[in-house]
Each structure stands twice: as structure tokens, then as C-alpha cells.
Amino acid sequence: MWATRIGFILAAIGSAVGLGNIWRFPFQASANGGAAFLTVYLAAVLVIGIPAILAEFVIGRRAKTSAIGAFSKLGRPRWWFVGAIGVVAAGWTLSYYSVIGGWVIRYIVGATTGAALADPGTYFGTVSVGIESVVVHALFMLLTVGIVAFGIEDGIELATKFMVPSIVVLLLGLAVYAFTLEGAGAGYDFLFTADFGAIVDNAGTVIPAAVGQALFSLSLGYSVMITYASYLGKDDSLLSDGLTVAVANTGVGILAGLVVLPLLAIQSGGEISAEGGPGAVFVAIPTALAELPGGSVVGQAVGFVFFAVVLVAALSSAISLLETVVAYLVDNYGFARLPTAVGLGAGIFLLGVPSAWDTAWLTWFDNISVALFLPLAVLFVVLFVGWVLGADAVAELREGSNSPGIATVWLWALRTVVLVAVIGVVALNLYDLFLVPDEGTYFVPPL
Ligand code: TRP
């Protein structure tokens, strides 16, 4: 049981706010047309993200048990596979999440010594691939396993309390600084001047990318929100908790965009291209740090603090991912916690080696998570809550809520608009998978 409601909200925000916001959002925005992406992303948070997070909360609090068992507890054992998709997705995602977490560790060192600030593009190119990247990937995984194996998540939860405000302050500071730089304007134009023609022309790629980002960033489809809400009391308002998490999480993503995109625009002389890719934030931030007024010491100090805080954000998400898989095995098969965490950590580490070796693999693993696992899992969550739980779901959402009328609107939205939207996204992704394997960038492994 959460000691306080704030404890639950913090844990949910700690899971949601992570590399998805700071690393993934900026480069997805830059790769998918900036404002076009932002527009569809915001719509996706509203139309799919918020209804779906409420759906996971409702399942969890009603069943009072974690992911896979929740469905039997609600009298629908055949739906266990929805939780299973989440568990598989969690292990899969952690394999490359840990690679990026490793880069963050590397950048704590690189920023402090100044090595990362001298020539950011070259630095990223060197440390993000090959053996260098595998080593830090191992280090990050070791940290994650250590925390989960010894059950010292409490410490991290405490750190999360400071992490979110620190991230916001640091990103705000950097965003203001970026604003003062010559040439930043092109970044804002790119992010805020929506070309609706471009959205329509590129709907087949922008929509799945934006919806995928919304789901990934809110940690939806992994059943973690189900598990977290299972500890929640009946007098909490799921609606206001869900809105709080969604707004905080989306805010951090946009803030990261406001730092990274202007910096990318400055670097490229006004034209933002998709080139930044997974390295965008790792190149943009050190470039800005190198030019901070006050000389290299200031840049190095700010860099150390920034990447240290990002590490906490990454760790809080990574332990939540590993915990999802560990808890499943411990609860269902009676495995001992320590060997399970260590064994899984080793296996997931190996699964992540290709991503550490070559960023093309990282992109491929990420695409499979975001375009396949998540939309599928969320589709089933929406179907389950909308059409199977139905009236029970409405009753659950009303518990502790002071705006009971919304629950019915939410149910009907789930049953219609949300369902159709998610089916549309799944269809677009499957189309990419089966019908355009040559051009489809999502599913072809980079062999
Ligand atoms: N939302 C996290 C982020 O933005 C990543 C994530 C996705 C996650 N699914 C999760 C974290 C499940 C914990 C549990 O970085």
C-alpha cells in the first residue's frame, strides 16, 4: 500500500519521466517534422494516452493485484496475455534502455572532464558504439540489477522526489539559455509552426510515431500502471492522478524539446534534419555547455549535474522495467528474488549488446517496442476495460472522484474513439510490417 497518495503519484511520474522524455521526444520530433509531430503527439496524449492510463489504473485498483494476475482476479483469466505482452515488452525495452543509460553514465564522466564538450559530434560517434558502449551498458545494468536485487527501491523513490523538480529546473535553465542564442528561432519555427499539409502527407509515419511516443513516454502497455494502481485506496481520484501524471510527463518532454531543437537548429545553420537521431540530445547539450558564459568550468559543472540528474531519471525507469519482469517470475513461479534479478539482468544485458554495438540495432529494438508491443497491449487494455469491464469500470473510476459524470463519457470514448484510434495505429504499423517491407523502416532488422 502506498503510504501516501503522493507516494503513488511520485512513483507513477518516476516511471513515466525518463529517457523517453529527455532522449526520445526531441529526436522523434526532429525526425517527424517538428510541429506536425508535436500536434499529433498532443492529440495522442489527449485521445489515447489519458483514457488509457485511466484504464490501466482502473484495472489495477479494482483487481488489487499486479499485471498478469489482475485479469483472473477480475474473473477473466483468458486475458492474462495482455499482462504477458507487458512483461515481454518490459524486458525487451530494458535491453536498449540500458544502452542509453550507459551513454548517460559515460557523459557524466565526459562532461566533467570536458572531453564531451570539445567536439560533441565526434565524441558521441566514438562512445555510442562498439566496446565502449557495451562496457557502460553493462555498468548501467549492474546498477539496475543491484537496486532491484537488494530491494532498495525506496532509496530511488526518494531520489525521484528530487529528480523531477531538478530536471525541470535544469531544463528550464537550459531552455532559457538556448533562447538567448543567435539562430535559435529556427528551432521554435520548426517545433511550433505546424504545416497541416505535411501532417496529412506524412500521416502514415507521423501518426504511429507520435502515438508510439505518447504510449512509451507514459509507460503504457507495460502493465506497470496496473501494478502501481493496485496499491491504491478507494478514496483516491484516479482521474486527477492520471491527469497529473500526463501533464507532468508531457511538460517534461516538451521542455526537453525546447532545449534540444533550438540547439540543433543552431548547429545545422537553421535546417533541422532527422540526422540527429538517437544522438540528438547527447550532441546538443554538450554543444550548449561548451559555450556557457563563464568558461569551461561552468560548462563542465552544469554538465555533471545535468547528466547525473538524467541518470536518476533513467534508473528510476529502468528499475521499474526490471521489477515488472522480476515480480512476475517471483510471484508466479516462486523464484527467489536475488537470483532472478541477476539472471534476468544478465539475459537482458546480452539482448542489448547488438544495440550497444550499433545504433541501427537500437533503433530497430525501439521500433519493435513502440510500434508493435505497445499499441497491441494498449488495444487489448482498451477493449477489456471498455467492452468487458464496462459498467464496473465506470463504478471504479467514480470511486473517490468528485466529478462522477466524466466516467461515462470516458467509457464511451474508450468504446469508440479511443478504440478506433488505436486500431488505426495498429493497422498502420502492420501495413508497414507486411506490405512495405522494403521501404518500411520499422521492422526490417539492420542486418
Ligand atoms: N516512460 C519511460 C520513459 O519515458 C519509459 C518506459 C516505458 C517505462 N515503459 C515503461 C519505464 C515501463 C518504466 C516502466 O523513459
Side-chain angles (χ1 to χ4, degrees), residues 289-307:
L289 293 175
E291 279 156 26
L292 277 179
S296 57
V297 180
V298 176
Q300 286 164 233
V302 175
F304 169 78
V305 175
F306 178 79
F307 286 109

Side-chain angles (χ1 to χ4, degrees), residues 348-369:
I348 294 172
F349 163 75
L350 288 178
L351 186 65
V353 168
S355 302
W357 197 260
D358 180 343
T359 48
W361 276 105
L362 191 150
T363 303
W364 183 76
F365 271 81
D366 185 42
N367 286 337
I368 298 289
S369 289

Side-chain angles (χ1 to χ4, degrees), residues 14-22 90 93 97 213 215-220 222 224 228 249 313-314 316-321 324 374:
S15 166
V17 172
L19 296 170
N21 312 64
I22 300 156
T93 301
Y97 206 86
Q213 174 61 24
L215 301 182
F216 182 84
S217 183
L218 284 168
S219 303
L220 291 175
Y222 294 77
V224 279
Y228 283 1
N249 183 58
S316 67
S317 292
I319 57 172
S320 159
L321 286 165
T324 303
L374 304 199

